[in-house]
Amino acid sequence: MPRRRAWCRYVGTVCLALVAVLLKTDVQARPANMSALKDKNADSKDENEILPPDHLNGMKLEMDGHLNKDFHQEVFLGKEMEEFEEDSEPRRNRKKLMEIFSKVDFNGDHSVSAKEMQRWIMEKTEEHFQEAVKENKLSFRAVDPDGDGHVTWDEYRVKFLASKGFNEKEVAEKIKNNEELKVDEETQEVLESLKDRWFQADNPPADQLLNEEEFLSFLHPEHSRGMLKYMVKEIVRDLDQDGDQKLTLSEFISLPMGTVENKQEQDIDDDWVRERKKEFEEVIDANRDNIVTMDELEEYMDPMNEYNALNEAKQMIAVADENQNHNLELEEILKYSEYFTGSKLMDYARNVHEEF
């Protein structure tokens, strides 16, 4: 199994484990190959805090190469995403969306242009960046036990294995004495993948230590051009079937491993192919030569690329632009609220003028 697939499968395991913890069950996500080092360490750091996340807010692709289904909502709502829950009160959501519209409408002409939407997207993306910086401070403290401002790979490895249920003191002692650590195959593959990523985040001159800024790049590659290149390389490696370090349409739309067992799954697969084909042809393949290079994919994934933000703004407007004037009016954004917020608004037009 390629390291990348092991990593993605592992992230899924992490999510299930965290759900189990929240439900206060005794279920623990542990490698199949149990080691004598394993124990229940109540003081171990939550692995979700020190592992690079599979999902990065404001990024068009997930770490595993999947399209980010929430991208439009993330770059439109920023840190206010959580306020638009599916079961929240529609009238409150409508009022909140109207407030957002007035902020996006920078010149106050009751219409949102592509330039205004571009400006808003860049602001919301910056919000996600700042949130990642804030979270990184806590994560860095968790892996920097001596507080010297630098973390070695061995220090991180100890914390990672402790978060998996290994005894932290015993792991640290074995690493210090260069003794073999008995871990299962999947955990070892994840460690190797993390190690590759760790040394990529180590800015020159390489000292095999990560400071807080480098650790941020380790967890969030969108914060570093070098790590963004690494992320692109990893995605291409997973999807590239002929080894030419480029992606064809057929490679990009290839379905994940697995078989279709019923019509519902077939419909999902059809949507997968249709959405990825559209994204490849209309957005990623900048020069329309039916080939996506690493440079094209890097530009596409760069969250702070202003040209991309303008294109995204135009696409978002086109979805709801019923009067075809290339701008968004309040009534249009309320009608297409599910696209922008993930939440449907009942009777979206009712009392619009009175509330606004």
Side-chain angles (χ1 to χ4, degrees):
M1 177 189 295
R3 291 182 194 171
R4 188 74 173 174
R5 299 194 187 282
W7 167 256
C8 295
R9 188 175 70 182
Y10 176 74
V11 170
T13 303
V14 170
C15 294
L16 291 175
L18 292 175
V19 170
V21 170
L22 290 172
L23 293 175
K24 297 184 178 180
T25 68
D26 270 334
V27 178
Q28 284 207 323
R30 294 183 176 225
N33 198 9
M34 300 292 282
S35 162
L37 296 174
K38 287 295 189 69
D39 70 358
K40 289 185 180 180
N41 187 350
D43 296 326
S44 67
K45 201 66 182 172
D46 188 332
E47 58 190 323
N48 193 46
E49 295 180 10
I50 64 174
L51 276 172
D54 184 50
H55 175 79
L56 300 170
N57 288 334
M59 294 285 285
K60 286 194 170 186
L61 289 185
E62 307 283 11
M63 290 292 294
D64 58 7
H66 286 60
L67 294 178
N68 178 3
K69 298 293 185 182
D70 298 325
F71 176 75
H72 304 300
Q73 295 151 31
E74 289 170 358
V75 296
F76 183 72
L77 297 176
K79 61 185 180 182
E80 295 176 300
M81 272 194 72
E82 295 181 1
E83 296 188 22
F84 286 86
E85 300 293 342
E86 290 185 9
D87 58 351
S88 56
E89 209 276 317
R91 185 179 179 86
R92 188 195 65 84
N93 282 353
R94 181 168 62 246
K95 184 177 180 181
K96 185 65 180 176
L97 185 53
M98 292 166 71
E99 292 173 357
I100 292 175
F101 178 87
S102 67
K103 294 176 182 177
V104 184
D105 179 21
F106 185 68
N107 64 8
D109 65 352
H110 305 294
S111 180
V112 171
S113 67
K115 281 290 187 181
E116 287 174 320
M117 185 67 83
Q118 176 198 30
R119 171 181 170 274
W120 183 255
I121 288 173
M122 297 298 290
E123 285 185 9
K124 297 297 108 178
T125 301
E126 180 62 27
E127 280 186 10
H128 289 304
F129 267 50
Q130 294 307 314
E131 188 65 23
V133 170
K134 182 179 177 181
E135 292 173 357
N136 182 67
K137 288 184 179 295
L138 298 176
S139 300
F140 187 74
R141 282 196 213 118
V143 295
D144 183 24
D146 55 13
D148 65 354
H150 295 86
V151 180
T152 67
W153 166 246
D154 284 343
E155 284 177 327
Y156 178 80
R157 189 162 45 138
V158 168
K159 292 296 182 181
F160 166 74
L161 290 173
S163 74
K164 291 276 292 170
F166 288 84
N167 182 286
E168 184 171 336
K169 289 183 179 179
E170 291 185 25
V171 170
E173 190 65 23
K174 282 185 173 290
I175 289 178
K176 180 181 178 181
N177 297 329
N178 291 318
E179 297 179 29
E180 181 183 359
L181 292 175
K182 295 181 180 179
V183 299
D184 65 285
E185 182 180 354
E186 185 172 324
T187 300
Q188 184 59 40
E189 287 175 345
V190 172
L191 273 172
E192 290 174 3
S193 179
L194 288 171
K195 187 176 183 179
D196 288 344
R197 184 174 178 138
W198 182 271
F199 288 104
Q200 284 291 326
D202 184 9
N203 291 330
D207 56 7
Q208 300 185 14
L209 300 170
L210 296 192
N211 58 30
E212 186 174 318
E213 183 178 349
E214 291 168 328
F215 192 70
L216 173 64
S217 297
F218 172 72
L219 293 183
H220 290 270
E222 75 275 20
H223 285 253
S224 160
R225 196 71 188 187
M227 286 301 290
L228 186 63
K229 287 179 181 292
Y230 175 73
M231 181 179 174
V232 167
K233 184 178 178 181
E234 290 285 283
I235 290 175
V236 170
R237 187 181 70 178
D238 278 355
L239 300 178
D240 180 20
Q241 297 172 8
D242 58 12
D244 65 353
Q245 298 186 342
K246 301 175 183 177
L247 296 179
T248 62
L249 175 61
S250 62
E251 288 172 331
F252 190 73
I253 66 174
S254 294
L255 293 170
M257 295 180 64
T259 56
V260 177
E261 298 180 354
N262 54 49
K263 186 178 185 304
Q264 183 179 9
E265 291 182 6
Q266 180 63 60
D267 290 341
I268 292 174
D269 284 348
D270 290 344
D271 288 341
W272 162 280
V273 170
R274 185 163 48 249
E275 290 171 3
R276 291 180 74 85
K277 183 175 186 294
K278 185 175 186 291
E279 196 74 4
F280 183 99
E281 294 177 336
E282 298 181 11
V283 185
I284 309 177
D285 183 18
N287 62 3
R288 304 295 188 267
D289 65 351
N290 299 316
I291 296 289
V292 166
T293 64
M294 286 194 185
D295 286 342
E296 285 177 318
L297 191 58
E298 183 181 336
E299 288 303 309
Y300 165 77
M301 291 185 62
D302 182 3
M304 297 308 290
N305 184 317
E306 293 187 6
Y307 178 74
N308 284 351
L310 180 58
N311 282 339
E312 187 61 34
K314 291 177 179 178
Q315 290 180 51
M316 292 173 73
I317 288 174
V319 168
D321 185 19
E322 290 195 339
N323 63 10
Q324 298 295 302
N325 68 349
H326 306 295
N327 289 332
L328 275 185
E329 276 72 49
L330 179 59
E331 289 80 0
E332 291 171 331
I333 203 168
L334 289 174
K335 184 173 182 179
Y336 288 85
S337 64
E338 188 171 13
Y339 174 79
F340 292 100
T341 70
S343 175
K344 288 184 178 180
L345 302 182
M346 304 303 293
D347 300 325
Y348 71 92
R350 180 182 299 172
N351 297 326
V352 165
H353 298 292
E354 287 84 348
E355 291 186 39
F356 191 61

